[in-house]
Amino acid sequence: MQYVTEGNTGLKVSRIAIGTMTFGKYNDEKACFRIMDMARDYGINYLDTGNLYGGGVGFKGRVEEMLGRYFKQGGDRRESFVLNTKCFQPMEYAPDGPNDAMGLSAFKIYRSLEASLKRMQTDHVEMYTTHHCEEDTNWDEIYGAYETIIGQGKTYYIGSSNYGARHIVEAKYEAKKRNFLGFIAEQHRYSLFCRLPELEVLPACRKMGIAFNSYAPLAGGFLTENALDPKPGTRGAGHSIYSDSLGTWNEGENRNRLLRLKALADELGETMATVALAWQFNNPNVSSVICGCRTPEQLESTVHALDVKLEPEVMKKLDEIFPGPGGSAPEAYIGW
């Protein structure tokens, strides 16, 4: 397994992170436990979850509860992982009333963490991440709460997710004012179909010493053979239009790109998913890739992709098939 340090810290995490957002939705608990055990065998030590995960209204927190049952089996299962969970979204907990709304008040941070720890049957998480940027609550309150839970040993590090470049820079500036480490990692949507982060977010993370961890690396299953030949009941099946942060791509454009990706993958003797994942693993600006494996076979394929080296000419072909913004701003702006 390959490991990287998480941002400007001494924490070492695997380049593959096990994402749990779909746990229980497309597989059963036994399969989820098998995937996590296999991850340990492969040396994967990064496990990502969120208090929201579980399947929608009435099921929020269900994945954390599943992890709690997994950890309770013992055998160093809990100790083997750098565990990350998140807060920000409403959790449908009636006693919290209006304070259950989206946000990062001290009330929300403390209450959400305590509930997550209880569900996962642990006394701490190695990383605690805000699921979305907060522009209404002041930084003294946000960082004051984070400093407290770090001081209590309930988390060691904090991270962000879905932050814009301006939020990342502001967060680091506010942390520096307090002589506080602040966020050490940003989780962001990134794939061959969603390359907008290259314009601002990736450069901001690199400049601020913050790890960039990508999620949805296969665009919700769209960068797989299943997108060309959908099978009923599988994730990503039936999507004739895929919308991402670059806009909506019509079916004809999508299919043409996917057919070209399939041809390139066949030429390399790999699957479309393997090439799409390898494209990320071959990018030195991507620290870890959060992979939502539904089956043990998918985990095996993901581990294989980590060792697939893409030559410069292959990376160039992928740029031609899935053009990004042309680099970082302002150099990427045409005519400048």
Side-chain angles (χ1 to χ4, degrees):
M1 182 51 53
Q2 299 174 18
Y3 300 92
V4 292
T5 53
E6 192 77 331
N8 285 344
T9 74
L11 178 67
K12 290 181 172 58
V13 295
S14 51
R15 292 209 69 199
I16 296 174
I18 298 298
T20 65
M21 188 179 72
T22 61
F23 272 19
K25 291 181 67 177
Y26 301 98
N27 50 15
D28 59 20
E29 188 165 295
K30 183 178 179 180
C32 295
F33 286 11
R34 175 62 179 146
I35 288 169
M36 289 185 284
D37 279 340
M38 284 182 62
R40 295 173 64 213
D41 292 340
Y42 279 124
I44 297 171
N45 74 338
Y46 205 168
L47 183 60
D48 178 75
T49 192
N51 62 350
L52 182 69
Y53 299 166
V57 177
F59 295 99
K60 296 175 181 178
R62 186 171 64 171
V63 171
E64 286 186 333
E65 291 173 351
M66 181 190 298
L67 293 181
R69 292 189 290 273
Y70 173 74
F71 296 145
K72 193 174 182 180
Q73 295 178 89
D76 292 329
R77 283 177 169 82
R78 170 64 186 91
E79 293 78 7
S80 298
F81 288 108
V82 172
L83 177 62
N84 175 65
T85 194
K86 308 178 187 74
C87 71
F88 182 82
Q89 304 287 354
M91 290 298 293
E92 302 166 2
Y93 184 57
D96 283 354
N99 288 301
D100 185 46
M102 292 187 291
L104 288 175
S105 66
F107 179 100
K108 182 82 172 183
I109 292 170
Y110 295 140
R111 190 73 70 103
S112 295
L113 179 57
E114 290 299 334
S116 288
L117 296 179
K118 183 177 180 180
R119 284 190 289 265
M120 293 189 289
Q121 303 186 53
T122 186
D123 61 359
H124 75 285
V125 290
E126 282 72 23
M127 190 181 301
Y128 199 43
T129 293
T130 166
H131 218 151
H132 203 280
C133 58
E134 167 66 283
E135 298 189 275
D136 295 325
T137 306
N138 68 74
W139 282 103
D140 286 336
E141 180 175 358
I142 294 171
Y143 275 157
Y146 280 135
E147 287 170 339
T148 297
I149 60 177
I150 289 173
Q152 293 171 338
K154 294 179 179 179
T155 192
Y156 304 157
Y157 304 95
I158 59 172
S160 60
S161 181
N162 302 308
Y163 272 45
R166 68 187 186 280
H167 305 119
I168 292 169
V169 174
E170 180 185 11
K172 182 58 72 173
Y173 169 75
E174 292 292 340
K176 190 175 181 64
K177 283 167 51 178
R178 303 175 68 92
N179 196 29
F180 180 49
L181 181 60
F183 298 139
I184 69 165
E186 161 66 12
Q187 288 189 12
H188 214 87
R189 184 179 181 182
Y190 187 54
S191 71
L192 283 168
F193 263 119
C194 181
R195 297 184 58 175
L196 194 58
E198 295 170 9
L199 195 63
E200 294 278 6
V201 174
L202 270 166
C205 286
R206 186 166 59 246
K207 184 72 173 179
M208 297 293 106
I210 293 173
F212 180 91
N213 298 326
S214 65
Y215 71 80
L218 296 178
F222 204 72
L223 288 164
T224 69
E225 278 77 3
N226 186 56
L228 288 171
D229 183 23
K231 297 175 178 59
T234 57
R235 189 169 184 230
H239 286 238
S240 60
I241 295 177
Y242 181 75
S243 299
D244 61 22
S245 57
L246 290 177
T248 300
W249 302 56
N250 70 46
E251 186 174 2
E253 291 174 340
N254 275 340
R255 188 164 187 83
N256 178 54
R257 288 185 173 90
L258 293 175
L259 287 171
R260 293 172 67 189
L261 174 61
K262 178 68 164 59
L264 178 59
D266 289 345
E267 183 181 328
L268 297 172
E270 303 289 352
T271 66
M272 293 167 62
T274 294
V275 174
L277 289 171
W279 174 78
Q280 302 228 16
F281 291 131
N282 279 260
N283 186 340
N285 295 312
V286 176
S287 297
S288 295
V289 180
I290 302 170
C291 302
C293 302
R294 293 186 292 107
T295 66
E297 291 74 23
Q298 287 184 352
L299 178 56
E300 291 175 355
S301 177
T302 300
V303 173
H304 166 66
L306 185 61
D307 295 322
V308 174
K309 303 304 178 186
L310 300 182
E311 298 298 328
E313 57 268 25
V314 175
M315 297 291 280
K316 183 179 180 181
K317 287 182 180 179
L318 289 170
D319 281 340
E320 293 170 353
I321 300 171
F322 301 94
S328 59
E331 290 78 11
Y333 300 148
I334 297 174
W336 283 51

